[in-house]
Amino acid sequence: MADWVPPFKGNDTGGIIAYSLYTSGADAKGMAVDHCARYGKVVKLTGAQATYGGYISFACIWVPEGSYGRPLRTRY
């Protein structure tokens, strides 16, 4: 029996978003930005497997040294 994986899963280093969420109209990048901002980091999209059952992967990285920008959480 295969394990079930939620459509959005992550931790302080990054995560994955089910490609089916993206195709259904969800703001995948916004979800990743909110997730990384919880840890005081910014998002870097690392890949997308644009097939049925695929995932969009992202990494949470520290704000670059000398940058004036701070991670922000989006609100809708």
Side-chain angles (χ1 to χ4, degrees):
M1 180 173 161
D3 286 337
W4 178 82
V5 178
F8 183 93
K9 186 172 177 82
N11 58 25
D12 64 323
T13 60
I16 55 173
I17 303 168
Y19 191 73
S20 60
L21 277 181
Y22 174 73
T23 58
S24 68
D27 181 14
K29 186 170 183 179
M31 292 169 66
V33 167
D34 281 346
H35 176 77
C36 292
R38 292 180 197 154
Y39 300 102
K41 298 180 179 184
V42 295
V43 71
K44 179 178 181 182
L45 297 176
T46 56
Q49 185 182 15
T51 60
Y52 176 77
Y55 283 91
I56 298 170
S57 58
F58 64 92
C60 296
I61 59 174
W62 293 109
V63 177
E65 189 91 20
S67 173
Y68 294 107
R70 299 290 306 149
L72 301 174
R73 292 187 69 183
T74 57
R75 295 181 184 226
Y76 295 98

